[in-house]
């Protein structure tokens, strides 16, 4: 038990250091936003800035999970969400299809660059939702590995 606590403390330290790097990324994005009037550069910096803010939220969750209260998730908690999860999975799949169709038809560098970014996010969302859906079929609670 003491070994697990030491590992969690070390992991939390790594995540805290990483979180500080996100602050640096946000600051650098702001610097680039001030220096460029180019719409393409500006949208990329805004995306990176917002993603870094989102990363910090996730990192806070991880730190709290490791140091305060370990999260749990049971299939029973997911079963009532089944209908909405399935609709969300279908919506993400349709979004991925739209992105793929755009990439196939477009020859515009800027469109393809941004749509590929969006597609990667849609794929990530789809995979996260599918994993949640798959947990319903499991018998035991998830989250605790200690």
């Amino acid at each position: 038990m003491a070994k697990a606590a030491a590992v969690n403390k070390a992991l939390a330290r790594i995540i805290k250091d990483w979180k500080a790097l996100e602050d640096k990324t946000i600051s650098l994005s702001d610097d680039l936003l001030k220096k460029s009037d180019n719409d393409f550069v500006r949208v990329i910096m805004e995306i990176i800035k917002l993603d870094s803010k989102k990363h910090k939220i996730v990192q806070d969750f991880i730190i709290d999970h490791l140091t305060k209260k370990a999260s749990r998730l049971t299939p029973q908690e997911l079963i009532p969400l089944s209908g909405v999860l399935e609709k969300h999975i279908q919506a993400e799949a349709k979004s991925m299809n739209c992105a793929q169709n755009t990439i196939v038809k477009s020859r515009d560098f800027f469109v393809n660059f941004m749509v590929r970014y969006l597609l990667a996010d849609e794929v990530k969302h789809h995979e996260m939702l599918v994993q949640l859906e798959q947990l319903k079929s499991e018998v035991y609670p998830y989250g605790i590995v200690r």
Side-chain angles (χ1 to χ4, degrees), residues 39-93:
D39 290 340
F40 185 64
V41 171
R42 292 185 63 78
V43 75
I44 291 171
M45 290 306 102
E46 287 291 347
I47 290 167
I48 292 170
K49 183 178 171 180
L50 291 171
D51 277 356
S52 291
K53 288 179 179 181
K54 179 179 60 178
H55 295 171
K56 289 176 62 173
I57 293 168
V58 174
Q59 290 158 340
D60 283 336
F61 170 83
I62 295 168
I63 292 165
D64 289 347
H65 173 78
L66 291 169
T67 63
K68 294 179 182 175
K69 182 182 177 199
S71 297
R72 293 179 175 259
L73 180 62
T74 66
Q76 293 76 19
E77 292 172 301
L78 290 171
I79 289 169
L81 309 177
S82 183
V84 176
L85 274 174
E86 184 57 36
K87 288 177 185 174
H88 202 158
I89 289 168
Q90 290 171 4
E92 294 292 345

Side-chain angles (χ1 to χ4, degrees), residues 26-38:
I26 291 168
S27 175
L28 291 168
S29 295
D30 282 335
D31 289 348
L32 285 166
L33 280 164
K34 291 174 189 168
K35 292 183 184 227
S36 179
D37 291 329
N38 182 282

Side-chain angles (χ1 to χ4, degrees), residues 98-114:
C98 288
Q100 290 167 337
N101 286 337
T102 301
I103 291 167
V104 167
K105 293 178 180 179
S106 174
R107 297 293 172 245
D108 186 290
F109 168 81
F110 297 103
V111 169
N112 285 343
F113 185 98
M114 298 310 292

